[in-house]
Amino acid sequence: MVNKLLRQFIFATMMLFSAGHAWADLVIVTSEATGISTLSKEDVINIYLGRYRRLPNALPALPIDMAESSEIKKKFYWRLVGKTLAEINSYWSRLIFSGQTQPPAVLNSSEDAIMRILRVPGTIGYIERGTYSKLDKRLVVVLELAE
Amino acid sequence: MISPKVITHWWQGILARSIAGVLVAALFIGGVSSYLVRQSLSDREQKQAIRRLTEALETVQSTASIAAFTHDAQLASEVVEGLMRTSDILMVKIETDGKILAQDVRSLKAPSVNARLTSDMGIAVHQSSLSKPLVSPFNKTETIGHIILQPDWLMIESRVRQNVQQTLWLLLAEMVAVLLSVAAVMLFFVLRPIKAISDRLHHAAPETGAQIDIPEGHEKTEIGRLVGDVNSITNRLVMLLAHEREIQKQREIAQKKYQNLFDHATSGIFVADKTGRLDSFNPAFSELVWHAYVSQDKDPNLFDAAWQAPEKIKSLFVLALRQETAGRVSTDDFLLRGRRGDERWLSISLASLGDGSLQGTVTDVTARKQEEIQARRLAGMDALTGLANRQGLMEVLSRRTVGDVKKRPFAVLMINLDGFGQINESMGLSAGDDVLKVVADRIRAFIQVDDYSARIGGDEFVLVLEDKFACDAFDHQLRDFFAVLQQPYRMAMPDAVRVISIQASAGVAFYAADSAPGVDAHELLRHAELALMTARSAGGHTYRFFEPQLLVAAEHRRRIEDDLKQALEDGSLYLGFQPIVDLTSGTVVGAESLIRWVHPARGMVPPDIFIPLAEDVGLISEIGLLVLEKACQVVSQWRAKAQPLYVSINVSALQIPNALPPATIISALARHGLPPDALAIEITEGVLMGNVSVAQTWMTQLGEAGLRVYLDDFGTGYSSLSYLKRFPLNAVKIDKSFIHDLAEDSNDKALVNAIVTMAKSLSLDVIAEGVESAEHLSILREMGCRFGQGFLFSPAVQAHLFEETVKDIEQRLAAMPVPW
């Protein structure tokens, strides 16, 4: 496992330098009002994939997803659980039938996402790092998803 | 020939047996295979169920994982329901974080499923439930719950049972089909042909050679071969039967023949085993053995007859059985005692039949036996005296010399009557017989109970005496016996009673002291005889004991005898001729032939040694004939040369009359063409002293034939002058003992003178023997003695020298100064 991670890391680093847009990283953010400064990757998985509905500080967790066709969503799930969007959709399709567990709400842009995060405490979303630096200091990065 | 019908019940047939066999085998195989099938089916079914359920679990596993991940009870329930649709699942449960997310249980038809399962299935249910872990869909290493599935074993079991039942039904059907086909095959290919053969055999008569047809279609099968074999056996059987019948017929004919022989034979015939038990016997046998054997007897036994010595018959049985291989017949005679004291001798011949039994023939030999016994009794007895004879004696001696010498010593006494011959001659044979009877009576009076007496020859008696005495006492006893024997015998003659006295000689041999071990009867008797001869040589009237030296002497004599016999054959006996000279003319007129024997080892043997011996052993007759023949030869040679000489031959008393009969002498002369005066016969006074009439007749016959007879050795014996008158003599020969001292002894001179004078007066010629000197010659001439012989003229010379000797004598005499 360590080996595999190491290999992924080396691969990511190489991609970073070769692609030209360095630091274009995914980060999971929430508002300061949410009251948490950090989340583990497992926490993020559990929240995004419907396992837990509350944050570690017991606040209801409200994850926000991006549009289906967006590049960032694809990147997010790949980095988070190593699955394609088709796989993620398949996963949700089984749960949707039962009606008990719903997938995260979908917003069309990162701006909408940030707006909702800032407005509703407990909301978490994922954005490009660049986007985050441009916008607001009220956003708290709880997890960075390196490539 | 009807064979019994063996197959009476259907279950004894081949069909039933084969079906039963197949059935048993099928049942066994079916039982085993159904058990195995059930085992394997149930095992397989269980495994299949588990696999199927595991697969079902696996298909829902990912959905269940998602449900567990999101704690979505709804989704979990859906999964559980989906699984429960499978009929053989009893219960499904999804757990997560230790809590039941979803569960469904089928309502049970019966309680305690597992217990029933184990008991019904007989198989241990290892795994009553299946469980799969549920992992996080996003992290395979994290287990977030379990899905648990309880299979419905009852359901599975009932399915297994169904399967097993089906399989078993199939098996059963198969078995029945196989049984039916086996039965059909047996019936068509085996039973029917066999039945056909059996029926044909049953009605066939093999002794007639009837053949059985081969069942159709079986020409090349085992059945066909079987029928072929049966037919060939039938053929052989027919041939054998014919052969057997022929033999049987021949046997019956033979049997009939022998049965006739058996029934009507006069000899008894029987077959018995070694214990004497009679297997069969003919009527003659029953009659002969005086035993009412009937065929109803349980165990008729030969030994039960009234034999005097049954054990002897038993030993004959043993002997006959032992000679089994030799195939010889053993025969013996047995005495049978009748109830009324009568006796019968039966001869039984036994031959072994080779199987331990014996065939015997029985013949009545009573008559022969009685004759034999009578003959034996007669054979052993002397008819005249009633004593035993030689044969009887030999039997007794043989019996007593068998065994231990020391056990019963005894003495053998051989007695010879001296001068018995004279009694026979002078008083007749019957008088002699009377004397012998008296002697026998005296012997009987002398001997004791244990003693034995026999007359073994004319006047020879033998006593076998128990040696109860010391030697001296025995001597005494013998002397007494001799005194008794020599007592005068009163003989009743027709004219008067005459008293005669007889002397006896005896020889004694002891058995024990004198005999080496193994001395037999003959030797013992010979010892006694030797002792007797010694007694007789000593002059008779006495007895002598046997000594071993006698044997040596006897052996010596025997050897001389042999030599003498040899000499007679090889010519070492020859004649010498001593010239007889006419003292008045000085010419040789004849010669006395003197027999000479040059023994190859001993040299010259004098006649006075071997002549008595020859007389003893009976060779004198042959020697006499030899002398006669030689003398005739020689004198005929002389006569052929015109020399008118004669030869005198000496004849002993034993040769007269039969050993040298006058006819023999006369015919010998005739054969050589000689006149009677060519031969003179010289006899001694002993001849004249014996049987006078015999000697007289003999001499007269010779005298009438023209032969001259000289009386030899005149003056030495009785020299009875009456002899000179009574017998037809031609000359006397004065014994040389008188001539020897003629010159010195005046008595001799007077005696010779008297003889010469007397002879002259009786017209007898006188021949002086032993003329040795010129003085003798002159004295004899003075006395008028006509003839002389002696060393003065010549000793006896051999025939071929005689002519020369004659010339020499005549020349010498002519040259003598004495005037002739």
Side-chain angles (χ1 to χ4, degrees), chain A residues 67-142:
Chain A
E68 192 68 13
S69 53
S70 67
E71 194 66 24
I72 187 164
K73 182 176 183 179
K74 195 172 150 191
K75 199 184 280 178
F76 170 74
Y77 282 107
W78 184 252
R79 289 201 186 168
L80 188 67
V81 292
K83 288 186 188 298
T84 61
L85 285 182
E87 283 170 322
I88 295 299
N89 287 341
S90 163
Y91 171 80
W92 280 117
S93 67
R94 289 189 238 185
L95 288 164
I96 286 164
F97 277 109
S98 74
Q100 208 172 27
T101 311
Q102 292 300 321
V106 177
L107 295 181
N108 282 329
S109 65
S110 294
E111 286 76 24
D112 291 346
I114 289 166
M115 289 273 285
R116 173 84 61 91
I117 289 164
L118 291 176
R119 198 177 63 217
V120 185
T123 304
I124 56 171
Y126 52 88
I127 54 169
E128 303 266 349
R129 187 180 277 270
T131 313
Y132 160 71
S133 56
K134 252 187 296 182
L135 289 173
D136 208 320
K137 294 275 186 196
R138 291 172 295 177
L139 287 178
V140 178
V141 175
V142 290

Side-chain angles (χ1 to χ4, degrees), chain B residues 651-705:
Chain B
V651 174
S652 87
L654 285 172
Q655 290 172 275
I656 298 168
N658 295 329
L660 195 61
T664 305
I665 300 170
I666 294 161
S667 73
L669 282 172
R671 199 166 60 245
H672 288 278
L674 293 169
D677 65 345
L679 210 59
I681 305 296
E682 296 189 15
I683 57 172
T684 58
E685 283 173 323
V687 173
L688 307 179
M689 283 168 63
N691 194 327
V692 176
S693 61
V694 170
Q696 213 165 13
T697 311
W698 189 81
M699 288 165 70
T700 308
Q701 282 177 2
L702 285 177
E704 281 170 358

Side-chain angles (χ1 to χ4, degrees), chain B residues 264-472:
Chain B
H264 301 114
T266 51
S267 297
I269 302 169
F270 65 90
V271 176
D273 67 10
K274 62 182 176 185
T275 64
R277 201 178 65 76
L278 291 162
D279 288 334
S280 61
F281 49 87
N282 65 351
F285 170 80
S286 267
E287 195 280 320
L288 277 172
V289 299
W290 278 331
H291 196 281
Y293 289 123
V294 279
S295 48
Q296 281 82 26
D297 273 8
K298 241 195 237 163
D299 274 319
N301 196 306
L302 180 65
F303 303 151
D304 293 342
W307 303 107
Q308 187 204 24
E311 70 283 350
K312 270 176 70 188
I313 301 188
K314 285 173 190 169
S315 58
L316 185 69
F317 266 59
V318 171
L319 182 72
L321 281 169
R322 204 174 298 148
Q323 285 183 336
E324 190 169 321
T325 46
R328 278 204 240 122
V329 175
S330 312
T331 306
D332 205 349
D333 300 338
F334 302 99
L335 184 62
L336 193 66
R337 293 199 184 284
R339 253 178 234 155
R340 290 181 293 279
D342 39 359
E343 290 180 349
R344 182 180 273 178
W345 279 96
L346 296 179
S347 168
I348 298 182
S349 299
L350 286 176
S352 170
L353 291 176
D355 60 350
S357 63
L358 292 157
Q359 190 187 50
T361 54
V362 181
T363 48
D364 188 342
V365 291
T366 309
R368 173 169 66 75
K369 264 294 184 197
Q370 279 169 351
E371 276 167 22
E372 272 179 24
I373 290 168
Q374 183 66 23
R376 200 177 300 149
R377 204 174 290 151
L378 286 178
M381 197 182 78
D382 174 37
L384 176 65
T385 59
L387 299 179
N389 61 10
R390 177 177 281 271
Q391 191 181 330
L393 173 72
M394 292 318 286
E395 278 175 21
V396 168
L397 283 181
S398 302
R399 227 178 297 135
R400 296 184 65 164
T401 48
V402 170
D404 189 6
V405 173
K406 300 284 181 300
K407 213 158 125 189
R408 285 185 66 187
F410 59 90
V412 176
L413 185 68
M414 188 182 278
I415 302 161
N416 185 257
L417 301 181
D418 299 333
F420 178 72
Q422 285 168 354
I423 294 173
N424 266 348
E425 279 168 18
S426 58
M427 298 170 66
L429 289 171
S430 68
D433 287 350
D434 288 342
V435 170
L436 291 175
K437 281 183 198 167
V438 176
V439 170
D441 287 341
R442 290 182 183 178
I443 287 172
R444 271 196 210 99
F446 167 71
I447 62 172
Q448 300 191 0
V449 183
D450 292 340
D451 299 338
Y452 187 82
S453 54
R455 186 173 78 107
I456 60 168
D459 57 345
E460 279 192 337
F461 293 85
V462 171
L463 308 189
V464 180
L465 302 172
E466 289 297 321
D467 183 17
K468 298 169 221 164
F469 319 101
C471 209
D472 285 348

Side-chain angles (χ1 to χ4, degrees), chain B residues 503-537:
Chain B
Q503 307 289 315
S505 306
V508 183
F510 289 103
Y511 184 71
D514 294 349
S515 13
V519 165
D520 66 10
H522 290 276
E523 278 173 78
L524 199 55
L525 212 55
R526 168 109 181 102
H527 293 174
E529 194 180 358
L530 283 172
L532 172 62
M533 281 164 66
T534 318
R536 290 179 71 175
S537 318

Side-chain angles (χ1 to χ4, degrees), chain B residues 214-221 224-225:
Chain B
I214 297 172
E216 232 172 277
H218 281 282
E219 288 78 8
K220 286 179 181 165
T221 63
R225 269 214 327 262

